[in-house]
Amino acid sequence: MTTILAIDASTETCSVAIMLPNGMHEAVCAEPRTHAGRILPMLDALLAEAGVSLHQIDAIAYGAGPGSFTGLRIALSLAQGLAFGLEKPLIPVESLHAMAYAFAQDPKHTQDSVVCLLDARMDEFYLASFQVVDALPQMLQPAQLCGYALFPQQLDITIDASVAGLGGGWAQVDPELRAMLGYCDTQAVPLASAIAQLGLKFFDSGVRPAAEQAEPLYLRNSVSWNKRQRLRQPTP
Amino acid sequence: MRVLGIETSCDETAVAIYDSGEGLLAHRLFSQVAVHAEYGGVVPELASRDHVRKLLPLVKEVMAAAHTTREHIQGIAYTAGPGLIGALLVGACVGRSLAYAWGIPAVGVHHMEGHLLAPLLEPNPPQFPFVALLVSGGHTQLVRVDALGQYQLLGESLDDAAGEAFDKAAKMLDLDYPGGPQVARLAQLGDRQRFVFPRPMTDRPGLDFSFSGLKTFTLNTVAAHAGANGLPDDQTCADIAAAFEEAVVDTLVIKCRRALEFCAMKTLVIAGGVSANQRLREKLQTALQKIGAGVFYARPEFCTDNGAMIAYAGCQRLLAQQHQGLNVEVKPRWPLDSLPPLTHYTRDS
Ligand SMILES: Nc1ncnc2c1ncn2[C@@H]1O[C@H](COP(=O)(O)OP(=O)(O)OP(=O)(O)O)[C@@H](O)[C@H]1O
Ligand SMILES: [Mg+2]
């Protein structure tokens, strides 16, 4: 009887979910740049709706990335404060994995594989691909950066009607290529409900990281900031 | 009231526990200087990443050092601005959610109020009212402080902050970042009379500052004496550092005295990184003695960014029942004089 709290802010949509043994409660906010202000109030309302207290939560899962750096840190920092304060494990769930999971769980979907594509700015995508086996996504290509110009060459699978494309990155892909997909959802984003479900699986398999061990999955680690910055903003 | 304070507005991760009855219990700091040194300045993305890594281990360490368990902590204060937005968010999100988990109030603290109040943590604190000179990496401001939380801006830098000018001068002299302490060290070896740099904006009335001309003057002096390697000889570098420091210090001293006279006050408080500068302290002491005024400052480690000042300022605001809701808010820009007044005040015992 495990209760999982999940938080995601890896894209312009943020979400919070509480997964109880008997059901899922989720709140989603699609307004960009307001995540820090929204997540705890959303959580507070969800707890009231679900009729549980913070102390009944067994573990906290967070959308670890890849995604917006600031968003990843907002979700992680909020989750860290909660996990540290409640003395509960803090479980990372990859954002593209959560997208593929939500897709694979839906019985209406029949495609054998999923290619998740989010815009990573700077002419690159975040890419990952999965094979769907028994309604679960199994990783084919782990989350990675892929230059616009290297897509779809960098992809290990061939795009055809057996492939589903998920994520806003697909909106930037050549429409002819997109038309070859068996399914395409350019609006798909990682959601806390999927993160909670995957978090529970990890929790059940014994994954119990401490809050202070958590780190986002940035993927981009040096290239973008060798430019010198101002020491501080000028006096307002 | 016992308060956990968190500071992550720029390139230091700092945590402290302050108790309004017992005083400061513990404070710790992780400096990111090494992370940013090779870039010659703070890289915001790297700063944010490092705060994530360092903050919780530091909270644990400070709680242990203060012999404090979660049951003893009655409030959490975190820097909510001004500063780098991504860096602020880390401390604010952790601080706010931790307070929620512990069921205690939280408050977002103004970083410059933290600096301004840091001298109140010292054994012989200044009495209100006073004039405060905030001199740091991002600010050079003169503030009239009638009481806790009552701040009126008297003047400020129209361009570079004094600390920023120190850092830029350091770069011109090929010294490492952050340059203030390095310039000050080198200046001790210099002849303070060999070069005379301008004292910007001291020959006209007013309490504003400008340090960008001084920067240009330094650059030109370095260029005029540069050898084959692009730098003057060691002694000339020391002489330039001394001339630069004298010019900044004299300018600050002149404006501080003017501000005290303008407000008809006898107490000056200096705060922020540059207030650690020994030459500034000495010259202020001498100048203010002549007009029967006194100068107060924090120990050097509480001049630059630290958690103690945030725990202290936050404690005062929490005692006045000023709480932040569950919505985390950070303000990269935030005028000091827009803060709500503080009605309650307990002196550090
Ligand atoms: N002994 C010193 N002499 C001169 N400058 C110094 C000295 N020590 C530190 N500084 C300067 O102080 C600044 C750092 O101070 P502080 O940490 O208060 O600034 P900040 O937090 O970056 O900016 P702000 O507080 O305005 O947002 C740097 O510019 C540094 O060079
Ligand atoms: Mg500072």
Side-chain angles (χ1 to χ4, degrees), chain B residues 136-161:
Chain B
S136 56
H139 293 81
T140 307
Q141 296 184 326
L142 278 162
V143 182
R144 179 189 170 113
V145 184
D146 284 296
L148 199 78
Q150 284 178 36
Y151 310 120
Q152 194 188 328
L153 188 64
L154 300 168
E156 64 185 330
S157 178
L158 304 177
D159 40 58
D160 293 352

Side-chain angles (χ1 to χ4, degrees), chain B residues 310-333:
Chain B
I310 302 304
Y312 180 81
C315 183
Q316 308 313 319
R317 299 234 160 237
L318 288 166
L319 285 169
Q321 307 295 322
Q322 293 181 13
H323 301 167
Q324 173 68 32
L326 285 177
N327 55 321
V328 175
E329 276 181 300
V330 297
K331 299 171 191 159
R333 285 152 193 260

Side-chain angles (χ1 to χ4, degrees), chain A residues 36-37 40 44 47 69-70 73 77-78 81 84-85 212 215 218 220-221 225 228-233 235, chain B residues 9-10 39 41 44-46 48-49 53 60 70 83 93-94 97 100 102 156 164 167 326-328 332:
Chain A
L40 289 181
D44 202 52
L47 288 169
F69 296 161
T70 301
R73 277 190 293 268
S77 301
L78 290 168
F84 181 76
E212 62 268 33
E215 233 191 308
Y218 293 114
R220 196 177 267 148
N221 284 315
W225 48 82
R228 255 182 215 166
Q229 309 270 350
R230 263 193 79 94
L231 303 186
R232 271 289 216 196
Q233 75 285 358
T235 328
Chain B
S9 70
C10 193
Y39 299 91
E45 176 61 23
L46 293 182
S48 305
R49 290 186 179 197
R53 251 173 255 131
K60 275 178 117 167
R70 48 178 287 191
C93 286
V94 169
S97 63
Y100 181 55
W102 283 347
E156 64 185 330
E164 195 179 357
D167 295 334
L326 285 177
N327 55 321
V328 175

Side-chain angles (χ1 to χ4, degrees), chain A residues 97 111 123 127 171 199:
Chain A
H97 190 191
Q111 288 72 25
D123 296 334
L127 171 153

Side-chain angles (χ1 to χ4, degrees), chain A residues 232, chain B residues 111 115 136 305 309:
Chain A
R232 271 289 216 196
Chain B
H111 181 80
H115 275 306
S136 56
D305 292 352
M309 68 186 196

